[in-house]
Amino acid sequence: MINLPEKWNLDVLYSSFESKEFLADIELFRKTVKEINAFARKELASTDNAVEKIETFIKRDEECDNFQKLFSYCHLSVSGDATNAPAGKYLSVLMDIAAEGNEAQTAFKSFIGRVGNIGELAAKSEIIKEREFVLNEIASNYKHLLSEKEEMLFTKLALTGSTAWRQMKEELYATVTTDVPGIGEGMTLPAVRNLAYHADKDVRKKGYEAELEAYKRIEVPAAYAINGIKGEVITSSAARGYASPFEMTLENSRVDKETFDAMMSAMKDSFPSFRKYFRKKAELLGYKGGLPFYDLFAPVGKADMSYTYPEAAEFVVKQFSLFSERLGNFARHAFENGWIDALPRKGKRGGAFCSGLRVVGESRILSNFSGSFSNLTTLAHELGHAFHNDCIKNEVGMNTSYTMPIAETASTFCETLVCEASLKTATKDEALVITENDISGVAQVIIDIYSRFLFEDEVFNKRKNSTLTPDELKGIMLEAQKQAYGDGLDENILHPYMWVCKPHYYYADANYYNWPYAFGQLFSKGLYAEYLKQGEAFVPKYEALLAATGKNSAYDIARIAGINIRDKAFWAASLKLTENDIEKFCEL
């Protein structure tokens, strides 16, 4: 059995907020930002000696990567405990310093845009050649760059605007509690949401009702937050010359419209199959018609698929090892060495995430594990992100920033590994549970995420003209769910507060954060199909693909695996795998 700490260890970053190392690094960060700003003012006003100036700036800028330790320590600390006052205080200090650093970043982007001809410069410099893709991207985006004064103004205003709104909303979510009659008093929202996986229908229903009651108490400040953030994004994207926030999102995602449309069209074609699954699940649970929202994640089947945290860890490591020894050993190391904060508790943020700590060659994972098979696959998902970070850690700093659609590739691939490998040794009852859990997960990233996309798009459209009340936001969410789920759900029992529940709507720099999950799900299914064809020979190709994700477009990354993502047939073939599982499920 794995030696398993239940909370993460952040000592690899700093021992405390009072430590000499932490306080000294803050001052060094401040000093370094001033120095690089001074360099930018003096040297980047003219484009002469371009190669030398670009090389010098890159070296100094990548030295600043070391200061990500500071941000990570604060962010992880406040994620584990929203009431951690020093973490919140120093995070604000760091963001103020980083905002000052945007002066140099803007000057460099402007310099690259004015210089152009990156290919010619790359022929004269290995440093530039190694970063050619990203530098070309900067040159291409020059048309969206504002003046240095305007960029600084936007950055500083965001600290008291979108950033402040997001922090307030996250603290509200992490600290609000609610009573679930007969279950528990003063329960956190993550703990309440975990009741959706409970075997008892009455518990699931009570959890759902208590969750909505808690959201009711924070709906007004949450509405102010989402209005403030979306309003800022609308202003910013228009000022930069984008037709819409969505156009800005596609460009920043390195995904072309042809690819997006091909994926969305294939998704819509699959909706009848997923709605058939929801209705079948409703029938199995004793309903006529659609499924109540609170039973979306209800367990199906007689097999006991609950796990202790140590059992889940051992299971994941075993299944990863069937794919490759490297992946299995990597997961074991993460579990054993305090990379994971596993269990829910008061003050801890909900959901799950993986944070890369490239400066120390590690990652940290937050989860809210409560024992379900879905919780187990979430662990696999986040460990996939961590493995992606491991594959890319030896790339130069500029080549490590991959976009959201590609970011979900390794995570979803690892989920698939766990589900498919576990099916090989499962009993009939266990196979039903695993298959249904996998279908349920895919349904979330195809159907529910489509509803979230519809919601966000409509919020952007309406927010252009006025702020939106909580009732209006709830109405938009309910309509989006009806369009996506159709007759698969009971239209009288939906979730009007999904806009409060999901943190993604509150990221001003990551809009339409929903569809990339569908992209990652379907892209990884296609990769898994290639793995089934090629066997062990696929493993090094897969690792090379992950390592290349920071320096290629989504289209070119897919070409490494021989996939054309502009072809609707690719997306349809990936969806067909789940549609076949739905047919099997309905026959059981």
Side-chain angles (χ1 to χ4, degrees):
M1 187 64 72
I2 294 175
N3 174 27
L4 202 62
E6 293 180 349
K7 293 181 67 175
W8 53 29
N9 186 331
L10 303 182
D11 289 347
V12 68
L13 298 172
Y14 299 99
S15 59
S16 74
F17 288 103
E18 295 78 31
S19 69
K20 292 180 180 179
E21 293 80 7
F22 178 81
L23 297 174
D25 277 355
I26 286 182
E27 294 310 309
L28 183 58
F29 182 33
R30 199 188 308 273
K31 178 174 178 288
T32 303
V33 165
K34 289 180 179 178
E35 290 175 349
I36 199 168
N37 280 346
F39 170 84
R41 288 188 214 107
K42 180 180 178 182
E43 302 295 342
L44 300 185
S46 69
T47 58
D48 57 336
N49 301 317
V51 170
E52 179 184 345
K53 289 178 179 179
I54 292 172
E55 288 184 339
T56 301
F57 184 89
I58 286 172
K59 290 175 183 176
R60 293 191 176 188
D61 184 58
E62 291 186 349
E63 287 173 5
C64 288
D65 286 352
N66 293 327
F67 298 116
Q68 284 301 318
K69 284 176 60 179
L70 293 165
F71 287 91
S72 295
Y73 187 62
C74 293
H75 169 65
L76 294 172
S77 296
V78 81
S79 295
D81 180 6
T83 65
N84 189 319
K89 181 187 80 170
Y90 283 116
L91 191 57
S92 295
V93 170
L94 292 169
M95 286 193 288
D96 285 340
I97 299 172
E100 295 296 327
N102 274 345
E103 177 186 347
Q105 294 297 325
T106 301
F108 181 69
K109 291 174 182 177
S110 175
F111 181 84
I112 294 296
R114 300 195 314 274
V115 169
N117 301 318
I118 299 301
E120 293 180 15
L121 300 180
K124 303 174 184 178
S125 166
E126 284 300 317
I127 290 176
I128 294 175
K129 184 175 181 59
E130 193 171 12
R131 299 156 179 81
E132 187 172 0
F133 172 81
V134 177
L135 292 171
N136 270 320
E137 189 175 52
I138 292 172
S140 176
N141 288 335
Y142 177 56
K143 60 183 177 291
H144 296 302
L145 195 66
L146 304 177
S147 70
E148 292 179 25
K149 287 184 178 180
E150 288 171 324
E151 290 288 354
M152 284 297 294
L153 181 62
F154 264 106
T155 299
K156 290 182 177 181
L157 288 175
L159 295 177
T160 52
S162 58
T163 300
W165 282 121
R166 175 180 55 78
Q167 290 173 327
M168 180 208 69
K169 190 270 174 183
E170 287 181 352
E171 183 165 348
L172 280 173
Y173 187 92
T175 55
V176 69
T177 60
T178 188
D179 298 338
V180 184
I183 310 299
E185 296 181 356
M187 295 180 67
T188 64
L189 279 170
V192 171
R193 282 185 57 76
N194 274 333
L195 296 178
Y197 302 94
H198 201 280
D200 189 322
K201 170 186 170 181
D202 187 52
V203 172
R204 296 192 299 270
K205 186 172 184 291
K206 286 181 177 179
Y208 163 83
E209 291 169 345
E211 181 190 0
L212 297 192
E213 185 277 329
Y215 291 138
K216 178 70 176 175
R217 287 185 272 127
I218 61 173
E219 66 174 10
V220 172
Y224 273 104
I226 199 169
N227 274 289
I229 292 166
K230 296 310 182 191
E232 180 180 305
V233 172
I234 290 168
T235 300
S236 175
S237 63
R240 297 178 188 284
Y242 292 102
S244 66
F246 180 64
E247 182 189 64
M248 180 175 69
T249 297
L250 278 185
E251 284 196 27
N252 292 341
S253 299
R254 299 172 182 165
V255 171
D256 54 71
K257 187 70 161 49
E258 187 178 355
T259 295
F260 178 84
D261 288 343
M263 181 189 73
M264 278 295 191
S265 179
M267 285 170 56
K268 291 177 184 177
D269 288 349
S270 73
F271 285 2
S273 183
F274 283 99
R275 290 166 181 169
K276 179 179 179 181
Y277 153 70
F278 290 127
R279 292 194 303 272
K280 182 63 177 180
K281 183 168 183 175
E283 178 187 327
L284 293 173
L285 294 174
Y287 300 103
K288 291 182 179 180
L291 191 67
F293 198 97
Y294 56 76
D295 276 342
L296 267 175
F297 308 113
V300 172
K302 299 177 181 178
D304 179 13
M305 296 294 287
S306 62
Y307 301 81
T308 65
Y309 179 52
E311 288 170 344
E314 196 70 48
F315 185 87
V316 168
V317 169
K318 179 180 178 181
Q319 307 309 336
F320 279 11
S321 298
L322 294 175
F323 174 72
S324 77
E325 183 178 356
R326 176 184 173 182
L327 181 59
N329 289 339
F330 173 83
R332 181 177 292 275
H333 181 83
F335 279 117
E336 290 183 339
N337 288 273
W339 288 23
I340 303 173
D341 194 319
L343 307 180
R345 62 179 178 274
K346 187 175 181 179
K348 180 179 175 180
R349 65 156 280 180
F353 68 77
C354 174
S355 178
L357 312 178
R358 196 176 69 84
V359 67
V360 294
E362 298 182 3
S363 293
R364 289 297 180 271
I365 291 168
L366 178 142
S367 77
N368 281 275
F369 184 86
S370 64
S372 68
F373 186 76
S374 177
N375 290 158
L376 182 149
T377 59
T378 295
L379 284 175
H381 181 102
E382 301 306 335
L383 282 164
H385 283 305
F387 184 69
H388 192 167
N389 294 338
D390 193 65
C391 288
I392 211 168
K393 68 182 181 183
N394 293 324
E395 294 285 333
V396 296
M398 265 193 182
N399 292 346
T400 60
S401 182
Y402 46 83
T403 62
M404 267 302 301
I406 296 300
E408 293 305 317
T409 301
S411 54
T412 310
F413 189 89
C414 282
E415 276 193 73
T416 303
L417 285 176
V418 166
C419 291
E420 295 296 328
S422 59
L423 280 171
K424 295 178 181 178
T425 57
T427 66
K428 183 177 179 179
D429 286 340
E430 288 173 341
L432 174 62
V433 172
I434 295 168
T435 300
E436 194 277 329
N437 184 82
D438 188 45
I439 296 171
S440 176
V442 178
Q444 283 295 291
V445 296
I446 301 301
I447 304 296
D448 196 67
I449 275 178
Y450 181 69
S451 75
R452 296 184 223 166
F453 176 83
L454 292 177
F455 168 82
E456 188 165 5
D457 204 44
E458 184 66 3
V459 168
F460 270 124
N461 287 334
K462 289 185 176 298
R463 183 63 184 86
K464 293 175 190 174
N465 301 315
S466 66
T467 56
L468 300 165
T469 66
D471 284 344
E472 288 175 310
L473 290 164
K474 287 184 286 185
I476 295 170
M477 180 57 77
L478 290 174
E479 182 58 32
Q481 288 172 357
K482 290 174 184 177
Q483 287 188 48
Y485 283 97
D487 61 1
L489 287 191
D490 181 344
E491 66 174 19
N492 297 309
I493 309 177
L494 300 174
H495 196 308
Y497 285 110
M498 194 57 69
W499 57 277
V500 185
C501 169
K502 297 298 178 183
H504 312 91
Y505 298 123
Y506 302 85
Y507 300 156
D509 57 349
N511 301 284
Y512 294 96
Y513 197 73
N514 29 60
W515 66 266
Y517 286 89
F519 185 106
Q521 175 80 54
L522 298 177
F523 183 49
S524 68
K525 289 280 188 182
L527 290 177
Y528 185 77
E530 289 300 311
Y531 166 57
L532 294 180
K533 293 178 188 175
Q534 301 179 35
E536 291 184 8
F538 176 77
V539 175
K541 297 177 186 178
Y542 174 69
E543 293 176 358
L545 180 150
L546 294 180
T549 49
K551 53 187 179 183
N552 288 281
S553 68
Y555 177 76
D556 288 331
I557 290 166
R559 288 178 62 192
I560 294 174
I563 293 170
N564 179 10
I565 58 175
R566 292 173 183 157
D567 186 355
K568 179 180 174 180
F570 164 72
W571 304 105
S574 292
L575 282 159
K576 189 65 178 177
L577 297 174
T578 301
E579 290 172 9
N580 291 339
D581 285 342
I582 289 173
E583 292 304 315
K584 294 175 186 175
F585 172 77
C586 291
E587 292 170 3
L588 290 172

